Amino acid sequence: MSATHILVVDDEPDIRGLVKEILEDEGYGVAIAENGEAARHALRDRRPDLILLDIWMPDIDGITLLKEWSEDDDLPCPVIMMSGHGTVETAVEATRLGAYDFLEKPLSMAKLLLTIERALEADKLQQENIGLKRRAPQVHEPIGRSAVMQRLREQVKRIAQHDTWVLITGESGSGRETFARYLHSQSARRERPFVDLSVSSLAGGNASRELFGTEEGEHTHYGSLEKAAGGTLLLDEVADMEWDAQSKLLGALDSGSFLRVGGSEPVRIDVRIVAVTQRNLEDEVRAGRFREDLFYHLNVVPLNIPALQDHAEDVPDLLNFYLDYFATHEKLPYRRFSVGAQNFLRNYSWPGNVRELKNLVQRVLILGAGDEISQKEVESALGAPPPVQAQALEGLVSFDQPLRQAREQFEKAYLDYQLEKHAGNVSKMAKEAGMERTHLYRKLRSLGIEIKERR
């Protein structure tokens, strides 16, 4: 497993050597660059976790490099600026461009190490917050005291001690990602990144860009395999991966390296793959939709997450967890489920599994009143949602406009309707619309329709 990788960019050999020696003594992996051009090459060779960047160098100054790295996207990692001749204006400009901090030379090694530690921790928290906003609430340990859950947690702890790849199966909403994160937290890779890649959102050439990254002139975009370096890459709904992307991923896994799109130098892979799917991959292999050799690569250790109705005795603990969560993090009024409501929910079938339970708790806290949540209120909240009603064409499209605009207006309304009807499931939507999934993704993007919001 890779150590935290730091790039030191400074034109003074004594400073480069001293900082490299001290950082390696602290357990960091270190690369050095003597000028701006060497720094560019170092970033192409490998994505660092942090950069120490001198401002005044003979060829390209640090501020120019900082502008270059922040042009197309956020900075690739935290950057700490160093200078013996810095001014307030320079420090302000560096901060504006995204630098984490500005250190004056001669460097205090104690302050340098503390700043590095804080920058890495801040970056880790930022990545976790992005995940929380996208998939909140995040459960760090699977909830439940049933024999089923206790056995699963112990199984995950054993698997985590070995650096094998894992295939997690189970119904939608059953907690597959929770177990993937729990596996990462119990492994030796716990201090390195956990990157979640939604495979169903990849289409065509976009898959290679997202997985492997790109090189365009002086600009390097890092893909998910590099962002997860030393850590864990979660391939969410891996069965949706297109055949060409499967082949390229398999080639990377076989060789232990890959080329970025537009790149010429191989990049080594150091990542644990956890693949998640609700479909039977063996059936997908037999149907010719999934590569058999990739299946055997991913299926080193299979882990099946049971449906909630198979461990219904955990329902009270899950209800209490989400009551506490929404009261604490979303400031919703705390209420408690009556004994009758809990008993009813223990015997409910939970077609949406833990996700449905979470949504139910949030709904009754938002819409209900009073300290106690009754069985009647629960039954009402679980009532079937009203069917999505088709709208008349006249209400969707104005006929008093050019045909092209009317067609776009209709297509947007039609695809919005299908997304609502199929709850964001693009595979089902493509089947009903009679479109290839790749073409459908392209059409959705061209019309500015977001998919993730429906899920």
Side-chain angles (χ1 to χ4, degrees), residues 267-293:
V267 180
R268 296 293 301 170
I269 294 177
D270 174 22
V271 66
R272 180 183 209 154
I273 302 287
V274 177
V276 171
T277 182
Q278 59 182 305
R279 305 216 293 268
N280 187 317
L281 280 190
E282 292 182 79
D283 290 345
E284 297 296 306
V285 169
R286 283 191 286 270
R289 291 187 293 266
F290 202 84
R291 293 188 62 114
E292 184 176 24
D293 38 12

Side-chain angles (χ1 to χ4, degrees), residues 131-133 135-140 318-332 334 358 361-362 365:
L132 281 170
K133 288 175 183 175
R135 291 186 178 233
Q138 179 176 317
V139 185
H140 293 285
L318 285 163
L319 292 173
N320 287 329
F321 171 82
Y322 286 111
L323 284 173
D324 288 339
Y325 177 88
F326 287 119
T328 303
H329 292 84
E330 298 196 9
K331 308 304 179 187
L332 293 176
Y334 183 85
K358 180 204 79 173
V361 174
Q362 188 176 28
L365 291 182

Side-chain angles (χ1 to χ4, degrees), residues 50 65 94 101:
L50 183 140
L65 281 177
D101 207 343

Side-chain angles (χ1 to χ4, degrees), residues 128-431:
E128 288 178 355
N129 285 336
I130 291 171
L132 281 170
K133 288 175 183 175
R134 192 161 56 86
R135 291 186 178 233
Q138 179 176 317
V139 185
H140 293 285
E141 178 171 321
I143 305 298
R145 289 174 286 181
S146 65
V148 170
M149 293 299 285
Q150 291 185 45
R151 187 165 58 249
L152 268 175
R153 283 194 295 267
E154 288 305 314
Q155 186 179 356
V156 169
K157 287 178 182 177
R158 289 197 300 273
I159 294 170
Q161 305 315 306
H162 306 279
D163 212 22
T164 53
W165 296 355
V166 182
L167 177 64
I168 301 180
T169 56
E171 294 180 6
S172 178
S174 58
R176 295 164 303 170
E177 186 191 346
T178 297
F179 273 97
R181 290 184 179 275
Y182 185 57
L183 172 70
H184 176 72
S185 73
Q186 298 298 307
S187 74
R189 295 178 177 268
R190 68 179 70 89
E191 298 301 325
R192 304 294 290 136
F194 179 95
V195 176
D196 175 3
L197 178 63
S198 177
V199 173
S200 59
S201 67
L202 304 181
N206 189 43
S208 294
R209 295 175 65 89
E210 288 300 317
L211 276 169
F212 307 120
T214 61
E215 289 182 28
E216 299 172 9
E218 300 299 338
H219 299 289
T220 301
H221 166 75
Y222 299 104
S224 296
L225 281 167
E226 278 187 273
K227 290 176 182 176
T232 301
L233 174 61
L234 173 67
L235 297 175
D236 193 8
E237 290 305 338
V238 69
D240 288 336
M241 185 176 288
E242 294 183 347
W243 190 267
D244 183 56
Q246 291 179 36
S247 301
K248 291 178 179 177
L249 178 60
L250 179 65
L253 300 180
D254 276 337
S255 64
S257 64
F258 61 88
L259 291 177
R260 301 188 193 101
V261 176
S264 57
E265 293 296 324
V267 180
R268 296 293 301 170
I269 294 177
D270 174 22
V271 66
R272 180 183 209 154
I273 302 287
V274 177
V276 171
T277 182
Q278 59 182 305
R279 305 216 293 268
N280 187 317
L281 280 190
E282 292 182 79
D283 290 345
E284 297 296 306
V285 169
R286 283 191 286 270
R289 291 187 293 266
F290 202 84
R291 293 188 62 114
E292 184 176 24
D293 38 12
L294 180 57
F295 167 68
Y296 287 123
H297 262 288
L298 298 175
N299 195 37
V300 177
V301 179
L303 186 70
N304 182 257
I305 310 303
L308 181 53
Q309 65 176 349
D310 294 333
H311 57 109
E313 59 266 50
D314 291 323
V315 166
D317 284 341
L318 285 163
L319 292 173
N320 287 329
F321 171 82
Y322 286 111
L323 284 173
D324 288 339
Y325 177 88
F326 287 119
T328 303
H329 292 84
E330 298 196 9
K331 308 304 179 187
L332 293 176
Y334 183 85
R335 306 175 69 203
R336 63 179 181 275
F337 285 89
S338 69
V339 174
Q342 291 187 52
N343 188 55
F344 173 81
L345 292 173
R346 283 189 61 164
N347 292 285
Y348 177 63
S349 60
W350 296 112
N353 294 296
V354 177
R355 185 185 297 126
E356 183 183 8
L357 182 146
K358 180 204 79 173
N359 292 341
L360 168 71
V361 174
Q362 188 176 28
R363 192 179 308 134
V364 296
L365 291 182
I366 292 173
L367 300 177
D371 293 337
E372 189 171 83
I373 304 165
S374 67
Q375 179 178 335
K376 184 177 179 181
E377 184 180 349
V378 164
E379 290 178 13
S380 175
L382 286 171
V388 178
Q389 297 294 324
Q391 293 175 264
L393 184 62
E394 305 88 69
L396 293 173
V397 180
S398 168
F399 295 151
D400 299 319
Q401 60 181 326
L403 175 61
R404 181 178 60 81
Q405 292 178 16
R407 183 169 60 243
E408 285 185 3
Q409 200 173 350
F410 169 75
E411 286 178 342
K412 188 174 190 307
Y414 172 79
L415 294 174
D416 266 324
Y417 166 76
Q418 292 292 347
L419 273 172
E420 291 294 338
K421 180 178 179 181
H422 296 292
N425 188 312
V426 178
S427 296
K428 291 180 180 178
M429 180 183 169
K431 185 175 181 181

Side-chain angles (χ1 to χ4, degrees), residues 36-101:
E37 191 57 38
R40 286 172 173 166
H41 285 293
L43 257 72
R44 280 200 293 271
D45 290 341
R46 180 176 178 182
R47 175 183 177 270
D49 295 298
L50 183 140
I51 300 172
L52 294 174
L53 179 61
D54 189 21
I55 288 185
W56 305 114
M57 293 182 290
D59 58 342
I60 306 166
D61 66 87
I63 295 294
T64 299
L65 281 177
L66 201 59
K67 286 179 181 176
E68 183 180 293
W69 294 338
S70 61
E71 266 181 15
D72 300 323
D73 207 340
D74 293 333
L75 291 170
C77 62
V79 178
I80 298 172
M81 307 299 290
M82 306 180 295
S83 177
H85 311 284
T87 63
V88 173
E89 290 79 8
T90 306
V92 169
E93 176 69 359
T95 305
R96 186 186 67 80
L97 291 168
Y100 176 79
D101 207 343

